[in-house]
Amino acid sequence: MKKLINGAGSVVADALRGIAAAHPGLRVDAENRIVVRAGGPSPGKVGLVSGGGSGHEPLHAGFVGYGMLDAACPGEVFTSPVPDQVIAASAAVHGGAGVLHVVKNYTGDVLNFQLAAELCAEEGMEVTSVLVDDDVAVRDSLHTAGRRGTGATVFVEKIAGALAETGAPLAEVARVAREVNTRSRSFGVALSACTTPASGKPTFELSEAEVELGIGIHGEPGRARAPMRDARELTGVALDAIHEDLPLSGDVLVMVNGMGGTPLIELYVAFAEVAGHLAERGARVARSLVGDYVTSLDMQGFSVTVCLLTDELTRLWDAPVETPALRWGR
Amino acid sequence: MKKLINGAGSVVADALRGIAAAHPGLRVDAENRIVVRAGGPSPGKVGLVSGGGSGHEPLHAGFVGYGMLDAACPGEVFTSPVPDQVIAASAAVHGGAGVLHVVKNYTGDVLNFQLAAELCAEEGMEVTSVLVDDDVAVRDSLHTAGRRGTGATVFVEKIAGALAETGAPLAEVARVAREVNTRSRSFGVALSACTTPASGKPTFELSEAEVELGIGIHGEPGRARAPMRDARELTGVALDAIHEDLPLSGDVLVMVNGMGGTPLIELYVAFAEVAGHLAERGARVARSLVGDYVTSLDMQGFSVTVCLLTDELTRLWDAPVETPALRWGR
C-alpha cells in the first residue's frame, strides 16, 4: 500500500489541517473534530449538520458553506462520528431555528446521530433528523438495516441547504430533504476494491475479469459479482436497477460519481451512456454532476444517482451555493 | 486493465458525448473534435484556445467557459491535437480581436499549434502563442525540448481568460499569460504509473517501495526513483525543487493537484504539508486549489504548482469564472 499520508493514525487530523489551510471560508475545530462555516451560526436560520466516516471526500466537509451544510462531523475512516462531535456541531450552528441532521443509513451513523439528537434536545435545541437511504442495490447489508445511503446525500444537502438559506422553518427544510430522498435512487459498480490506511489491504478481492455490481461505499458486497463489461452495459445495469425501483420519467437530476480512483475521462464516457439510457426510458437530463462527490478512498468504479425533479427541487438545486466542492451562481 | 469505457478506440469521442450531455453551456463539435462555448464568439474579445492530448481531464475542455477558455482541442489520449482542430477552434472563437493559443511545452503540441497559427494567419486571423513550461523536474525530457508544461496551464488559462473577458487587447492578454508562466513552477510525484486504454499496460514499472520524483504528466521519467516516504517528505521534495528554481516568498497561489487516482483525503493531507513548507520559506497561501485539475489517467500521485502573485494576478484570479471545473463568483 502506497498512500500520500503521514501515518494511518493521523490521516483524518492531517486532512482537516489541509481543509483549514485551503478554505478560509471554513473553520476547523480540531479538538471537537468538526468543520463549520467561518461566519458562525446565522440567527433565525435552520442549521444543517451532516457527517459520517471519512474516506468519502468531498462528502461531507466539502459541502459546508453558503447554501448547503452549516457543519460536518468527520469520523475516522469508514467509521461513524461519535455523538460528541454531532453535539458540538449542532451547538456551533444553532441559530435559534433548530437543527437538521442529515444521516446516511448506516447502523453506526443512525445510532450516534440519534443519541446526539436526544442530548441536543435535553440542552434545549430542536433537532430533526432525515435519513438518506437511496441505494437500491441491497437491503439489510453489512452495515445497514434497510437500504444504504449514498449519492442522494449530495442532493439532499444541496436542496435542503438552499431552502434553509431562505429562512424556511425546520419542518419545511426537513420536508424537502425527505422529498429529495424519496425521489432519488442510486446504484454503484466497483472495478476495484479500496484500501483503508489502517488495514493496508484491499477490502475485498476482485479479479481482472470481474466487477462488483451494487457496491457499497465502504466496499460492502452488492448484488452480484459479474464479468467485466463495457461502460454502456455497466451503466445499463445501474439504470435498470434504479428504474425497477423508481420508474424514471420527466426531468431528472443525475450524478455520475467517481469512487475516487476513476479518471474523469471515464466518468464522462459513463455519463454519455447514462444520458442515453435515461432518454430510452423517457427521462431527460435536466441537471447533472460528473465527478468525485461521494468517494470510497482509492476505489475504481462509479455510481449513478437520479432524482426525479419537481419545479421546487429544480429551483432549489439552481440556487447559489458556495462550498469547496459545489460552487455556483452567487 | 479494467476501464470504464466502451473500447480503446472510442474513448475520446465517447467522453466528448458525455461532456456535451453534461454541460449545456458548451458546444461540442464532434466532427472537428473541438469544444467551444455555446454562445459563439464574442465580438471584440480575444479568443482563448488551448488543447493537448486527452487523459488530463478536466484539462482542457473542463476549462472552457466564461472567464477562461473559449475553445479546447482534445487530441487522442496523450497525443497532440492536429493542426486542423486548432484551426477550427480558432476560427470558431475569433471575434475580431485575435486569438491566443495557450500551448503546453511538448514537441508535438508546439509543432502542431505553430503550424495551425501560421495557417490561421494566412486566413487573416491574428494569433499569438504563449508557451507554458513550468515543470522544474527536468529539462529536455522524453517529449520536450526545455521544461514541460503542467499545472501552471490552469493558472495561465484562468488569469488570461479573466483579462480577455474585460476586452483587453491581444498583446495585453498574451503579456499577462506569459507573466503567469514566468512566475509559476511545478513538481510532480508518482506513486503509481498510469495505463493508457490503447496499451492496456502501465506506462512504467514502480515497486511498492518506490516513487518517481519529478514525474511528467504522461508518465515521463523524473529526476529520480526514490524510496516511498510520507506526505511531509514528498511535498518537501517538491517544494525544495520549486524553491531552488524560483525563490518562494510573499503571497502565492498554490495548487495541490491529484494525478487522477489519488483520493481527495490524501490531497488534503498533502496540502496541509505544502502550506507548512511554504510558511517555513516565508511564503503565504493566499489562494489555492486542491483536487484533480491536470491528471494523468489513473495515475496515483500529486503535483504542486506555485505562482508568485501580484495584485493584478490576484484580482484576475478572483474574477468570476464559469466552467465545468472552475466556477465561482458570477
Side-chain angles (χ1 to χ4, degrees), chain B residues 38-250:
Chain B
S42 305
K45 178 189 161 310
V46 170
L48 258 73
V49 174
S50 193
S54 291
H56 306 301
E57 291 68 25
L59 195 75
H60 295 272
F63 299 126
V64 175
Y66 180 87
M68 212 160 166
L69 294 179
D70 292 278
C73 319
E76 284 299 318
V77 171
F78 292 177
T79 303
S80 302
V82 296
D84 279 353
Q85 287 177 273
V86 181
I87 295 166
S90 301
V93 308
H94 187 245
V99 176
L100 185 75
H101 290 174
V102 178
V103 186
K104 300 196 299 301
N105 191 29
Y106 298 97
T107 306
D109 288 16
V110 171
L111 287 174
N112 287 352
F113 269 93
Q114 192 176 333
L115 185 54
E118 287 164 13
L119 293 167
C120 284
E122 284 177 19
E123 290 177 28
M125 277 183 266
E126 191 185 3
V127 173
T128 299
S129 294
V130 171
L131 203 65
V132 182
D133 63 347
D134 54 309
D135 184 348
V136 301
V138 291
R139 288 201 157 270
D140 303 330
S141 77
L142 200 55
H143 302 295
T144 337
R147 287 199 308 224
R148 301 176 298 218
T150 58
T153 316
V154 180
F155 298 171
V156 169
E157 293 177 359
K158 167 68 184 82
I159 290 173
L163 187 60
E165 216 65 63
T166 68
L170 180 57
E172 265 299 283
V173 178
R175 191 263 313 154
V176 85
R178 292 196 182 103
E179 186 176 351
V180 174
N181 180 60
T182 303
R183 301 178 72 89
S184 298
R185 297 292 189 279
S186 295
F187 191 90
V189 176
L191 275 61
S192 79
C194 56
T195 298
T196 63
S199 84
K201 276 178 267 179
T203 49
F204 57 93
E205 292 298 325
L206 198 57
S207 81
E208 259 304 299
E210 288 180 317
V211 293
E212 179 76 26
L213 301 176
I215 190 75
I217 59 172
H218 312 92
E220 307 96 309
R223 289 185 175 184
R225 191 64 57 93
M228 178 63 190
R229 300 173 222 183
D230 69 16
R232 184 163 304 158
E233 291 180 83
L234 290 177
T235 53
V237 170
L239 268 294
D240 279 343
I242 291 170
H243 186 62
E244 197 175 296
D245 200 87
L246 181 72
L248 296 166
S249 69

Side-chain angles (χ1 to χ4, degrees), chain B residues 266-325:
Chain B
E266 297 182 29
L267 297 180
Y268 275 117
V269 169
F271 191 87
E273 302 308 328
V274 166
H277 291 305
L278 285 166
E280 282 166 20
R281 285 164 180 82
R284 190 184 77 90
V285 176
R287 299 291 185 276
S288 64
L289 289 178
V290 185
D292 286 4
Y293 294 99
V294 182
T295 60
S296 303
L297 295 170
D298 56 342
M299 185 186 285
Q300 293 189 320
F302 71 99
S303 61
V304 180
T305 303
V306 183
C307 175
L308 304 182
L309 287 167
T310 62
D311 288 347
E312 180 192 31
L313 300 189
T314 304
R315 197 176 62 245
L316 292 168
W317 178 259
D318 288 343
V321 61
E322 189 167 337
T323 71

